[in-house]
Every structure is written in structure tokens, then in C-alpha cells.
Amino acid sequence: MISGTIVSVALPQIVGALKGTQSQYTWVVTASLLASTASTPIWGKLADLFSKKLLLQISIVIFMVSSLACGFAQDTAQLITFRAIQGLGMGALQVLVQVIIAAMISPKDRGKYNGYLGGVMAVATVAGPLLGGLIADTDWLGWRWCFFVAVPFTVIAFFMLQKTLHVVSVRRSDVKIDYVGATLIAAGVSVLLIWVTFVGNSFEWLSWQTAAMVGGGVLLLALATWVETIVKEPVVPVHIVRQRTPALAIVASLAVGMAMFGGAVFLGQYFQTGRGYSPTESGLLTIPMMLGVLLSSAITGRMISKSGNVKPYIVVGSIVLTGGFLLLSTTDHATPIPLMMVAMLLVGAGVGMSMQNLVLAIQNTVPLRELGAASGAITFFRSLGGTVGVSVLGAVLANRVTAGINEGLVKAGIDPAKAGAAGAGGSLDIQSLPEPFKTIVTTAYGDATGHIFLISAAIALVGVLATLFLKPVKLRDSLDLPATSEKAPVG
């Protein structure tokens, strides 16, 4: 978490230093999210079959090595590649931590621990932007240390887990991993995201490229769905996804993921590129959102553990999240910062109340033997929502920025065709632009940002509708479902 938040606030400077474009900026984020998304259900399934502790330690090593590689990247292509490898470790860490907690603690008590987990995440997300800003602004460190700084945390975590974590592992002899299904899912999502990135720029919406990529992506995902229904050990268990509570929780998680990742990723860019703040100042300005996550997750976690009711908090959280994004949709290059801070606080509170508790709602419906697969499924769809959200909102932002820059150039009496990369918004190295271009580009970024938050609000509204139809259930006190659930899990 702290690694991701450190990078997010320094990303405009990182991509600018590597002479990257807006599309590459989006893919630096999307690559890690996509790899994380594709690998999450596999890690979740492996957690049902192998030692959870060993898997967690392996994922920490993957994350540490790839973080070092990101720090040594020489161009954006290398950075995107290493970020994809880093995403494999991220996917494992996201789901395995939840699976291990769930394997030791009953759903009713788990709300409290999810609150602690949310608090840890919030502290990381508060400290990360500040630390990332300070590192990026410190000449003798530089942006590469935004990746290197994760290494000591991973080393400490590895040895602490080795010494203190004791989880009972039951290894099954009939191990079957659905690599075909996972590959088809990853390939289908990748094709659609690549299409989103390039449509409208490299080719038209109505073109043979669109037909080939959209058709191919949908076909791959349809094949993946078919494979998941026939294999013995599917990465996304269809019988779980078909149940009412998991299905609605997955839809809500998809919406929360799209809104949260998609919206938050571009806030740092807005403050730096659209408003001219330094990375450190940008980190400070995002604190209200992280504070909202910290307070809401900690408070609701304890309240859920006391009452055993989870639905009311998820519904209220989804509504608050939508309201926060609606307020952020009024953003332009001159929006008062206090208004944005209120909006960010609402977004953070909404995420804290809904995100972890949606996982809890699904875990309450499945037997212990399917806990990893169920947790992996909802984390997969939340990450998928984030991946799609970042890619779609990044493409919308790039198009709006290009249009805004061209309008600004025309008003200034400059021919956009003769303005080169600056006129097309091709470079994020804003400081190297001459003064007339710099003002036009920053204004375009500031004005374009409100549009992506409006889309985020619409996506979050889908999550509200899904949570309203969740069945109100009491969280169970036992680690496992009653014996009858082994044949037919209740939903």
C-alpha cells in the first residue's frame, strides 16, 4: 500500500522525467493493476491448496525484486514492464492477507480486524503521498527512491511473518490450477483495455480495429466463462458468483474499484499538472481522502463486530462515495481547495465503509474450504474495476486534455497543427514547455479533470443500486459454515 501511494503522487514527475505521454502515464498504473487483477484469483485458489504463509512470503519476494527493478527503469516501456511484474506481488498480498485473517477469525469478529486492516491501509495512504512528495522534491534522492523505499518494509515483513505467523495448512493431493481460465481472462481484459487506450486517437470508434479488438476481447472472456464452468478447480468459482449475495457484492466491488482507483489516480496529477503544486504539496492536499478511509474503516469495523450487521454500513458507504464524486465533478482549474477537501473526505469515508465490508459479506456466505477462492473472486473483480476505471478515465482525460489544449491554442492565435507535441498534449514534462504553452496545458488538465469525476460518480451509483439489493444477514460467530453447507453453500 505504501509503495503504491508513494508512486502515485510522484508519477507526474516520474513520467515527465522519462519523457512519457498521457497514455503511458495511464499504463504505468494499468499494468500493475492488470497483472494484479489477473493473478489475484490464482493466488486465492493456491491459498486453498498450499501453505498460506509460504505463498505470502513468495509474493513479498516478488514485490521486493520488482520494486528494485522499477527504480532502475531507464524509460517508460521498462517501467511499465516492471510494474506489471510488481502487480503479480500486489495481487497476492491483497488477497492472501485477507484469506489468512479469515482462516483464523470468525466473520463476526473479523469486522474489527478489517477495521485494523483499513487503518493500516489508511496510514500507508496518508504517509505515502507525503513521503513520495518529499522524495520526489529532494534533489539528492530523486524519484527512483519512490520504488527503492519499499524494500526495507518488505524485508521486515518477511522476517516478522517467518517468526510470528502460524497458520494451519491442509495440503490436498488433487491439486488442479486453472491456468487456461486465468490466461483467457487476462488476455480478454488486456485486449479491451488496449482498445480503450488507442480508440479515438490511433483509429476511429467505428473501424475494423475496433471490431477486431472488441470482438476478440468479448470472445476471449466468453471462452473464459465457459472454461470456468467445466474445470474442476476454477479460478473464479461460478457456483459462488451465481449466489445472490456474492453476485451483488461483486457488482458493488466492481463499481467501487472503478470509482476509487480511477478517481484517486488522477487527483495527484490534477494538483501537480493542473494547479502547479509540488509533489509534497500534492501529497498534503490528498490527506482528507485518506483520513476519511482511516476513520470510517476503523469506526465501522468495530460497530459491525458489535452488531453483526454489515449491509447498512455498505449501503451508506456507497451513497457517501457517490456524493463525494458528484462534488468532485464540479472541479476545474480554479476550484477552491477547501471544497475539494470536503469532497475527498466524503470519497475516503465511502471507500472505508464499503470496500473491506463487501469482502466480509462474501466470506460470510462460503465454507472455510472455499474461503481463498471466494476472497480471490471479489478482490479480482474489485481490481478489475480499478483497472478498467483507470484505463477508461485515462483515455477520457487524454481526449479532453487534447481538445482543451487545441481550443486554448486557437484562442491564443496559434495553429495547433504547428504546435507539435505540446499542442497535442503529448508530453507530461510541463516544466520544459515555453510559458504560453505551459499555461494552456495546465488549464486544459484542470478543466478536464471534472469530467472523469462525473463518470466516477455514475459508476459509483451502480454500486449503490447493487448494495440496496443485498440480503440483510447476521455475520456468523463460527469460522466455518454448518456441516449442511458443505453440499450447498447458502447465499
Side-chain angles (χ1 to χ4, degrees):
M1 279 298 297
I2 204 167
S3 172
T5 53
I6 283 174
V7 172
S8 66
V9 76
L11 200 54
Q13 189 179 100
I14 294 170
V15 177
L18 294 174
K19 307 298 181 186
T21 65
Q22 176 64 48
S23 291
Q24 289 172 323
Y25 178 98
T26 301
W27 271 97
V28 170
V29 179
T30 302
S32 60
L33 281 175
L34 183 60
S36 170
T37 301
S39 64
T40 291
I42 295 179
W43 289 110
K45 174 55 66 176
L46 289 172
D48 287 334
L49 307 174
F50 298 109
S51 165
K52 297 173 178 63
K53 178 176 177 177
L54 178 61
L55 289 170
L56 188 60
Q57 290 179 311
I58 289 171
S59 65
I60 287 173
V61 172
I62 292 171
F63 185 78
M64 179 181 68
V65 173
S66 56
S67 295
L68 282 170
C70 287
F72 287 113
Q74 298 301 304
D75 55 43
T76 47
Q78 287 183 16
L79 181 59
I80 289 168
T81 301
F82 296 141
R83 284 281 286 174
I85 299 170
Q86 195 179 37
L88 296 176
M90 286 180 179
L93 294 169
Q94 284 176 1
V95 69
L96 290 175
V97 168
Q98 293 174 354
V99 169
I100 289 171
I101 290 176
M104 298 188 291
I105 298 153
S106 70
K108 191 166 185 286
D109 291 332
R110 211 176 297 152
K112 180 170 63 178
Y113 287 87
N114 276 349
Y116 295 150
L117 189 60
V120 169
M121 292 168 66
V123 169
T125 45
V126 169
L130 295 176
L131 193 54
L134 286 169
I135 290 171
D137 283 339
T138 304
D139 293 335
W140 54 274
L141 285 175
W143 63 263
R144 295 184 186 277
W145 277 94
C146 291
F147 296 102
F148 296 153
V149 77
V151 175
F153 289 95
T154 56
V155 172
I156 292 168
F158 184 93
F159 288 106
M160 281 188 70
L161 288 167
Q162 180 62 33
K163 184 177 181 181
T164 63
L165 181 63
H166 306 287
V167 184
V168 177
S169 296
V170 180
R171 177 162 184 171
R172 286 162 44 188
S173 57
D174 57 337
V175 175
K176 296 285 184 182
I177 306 296
D178 179 23
Y179 295 111
V180 175
T183 302
L184 286 170
I185 291 169
V189 173
S190 298
V191 169
L192 291 175
L193 293 183
I194 292 169
W195 169 70
V196 166
T197 301
F198 293 107
V199 70
N201 293 318
S202 301
F203 50 84
E204 296 301 317
W205 287 86
L206 294 176
S207 62
W208 69 266
Q209 292 97 329
T210 291
M213 296 178 84
V214 173
V218 170
L219 179 61
L220 286 168
L221 292 176
L223 283 172
T225 304
W226 175 70
V227 168
E228 296 303 272
T229 61
I230 62 171
V231 294
K232 185 179 179 183
E233 302 278 359
V235 289
V236 180
V238 177
H239 73 277
I240 292 176
V241 175
R242 281 175 179 163
Q243 297 172 45
R244 175 176 166 180
T245 296
L248 290 170
I250 282 169
V251 171
S253 285
L254 199 63
V256 169
M258 288 182 76
M260 180 190 67
F261 286 107
V265 160
F266 298 106
L267 271 172
Q269 188 177 11
Y270 167 80
F271 286 127
Q272 291 175 60
T273 308
R275 299 296 290 265
Y277 290 104
S278 70
T280 303
E281 292 167 336
S282 177
L284 286 166
L285 288 168
T286 57
I287 282 180
M289 186 162 69
M290 310 315 167
L291 192 62
V293 176
L294 173 63
L295 294 175
S296 65
S297 60
I299 293 169
T300 57
R302 299 194 73 86
M303 291 173 74
I304 287 169
S305 286
K306 283 184 178 180
S307 67
N309 296 316
V310 69
K311 178 180 174 178
Y313 300 98
I314 296 175
V315 173
V316 172
S318 301
I319 293 170
V320 171
L321 178 67
T322 305
F325 276 123
L326 278 172
L327 198 54
L328 278 177
S329 69
T330 62
T331 299
D332 59 24
H333 71 280
T335 301
I337 296 299
L339 179 65
M340 292 197 68
M341 295 178 96
V342 171
M344 286 188 288
L345 183 67
L346 291 174
V347 169
V351 169
M353 294 176 74
S354 57
M355 187 170 68
Q356 291 299 110
N357 294 325
L358 284 165
V359 178
L360 189 57
I362 280 195
Q363 289 177 342
N364 191 61
T365 67
V366 298
L368 189 62
R369 62 186 170 81
E370 292 183 335
L371 198 58
S375 302
I378 192 165
T379 308
F380 164 79
F381 283 106
R382 186 176 68 214
S383 298
L384 177 62
T387 307
V388 173
V390 169
S391 191
V392 169
L393 296 181
V396 171
L397 182 65
N399 287 329
R400 294 294 308 181
V401 165
T402 300
I405 290 173
N406 289 339
E407 288 173 12
L409 291 171
V410 170
K411 288 180 181 177
I414 303 170
D415 184 357
K418 296 179 181 179
S427 174
L428 289 182
D429 190 10
I430 305 297
Q431 299 307 315
S432 66
L433 296 175
E435 191 51 48
F437 287 117
K438 187 185 295 186
T439 303
I440 291 169
V441 171
T442 55
T443 301
Y445 269 97
D447 291 345
T449 304
H451 292 86
I452 64 173
F453 289 132
L454 184 60
I455 296 171
S456 295
I459 295 167
L461 185 60
V462 175
V464 173
L465 297 174
T467 58
L468 286 171
F469 288 99
L470 282 171
K471 288 175 72 174
V473 293
K474 278 274 186 181
L475 298 180
R476 65 177 191 261
D477 290 307
S478 60
L479 273 176
D480 205 353
L481 287 172
T484 54
S485 65
E486 291 294 312
K487 294 180 181 178
V490 296

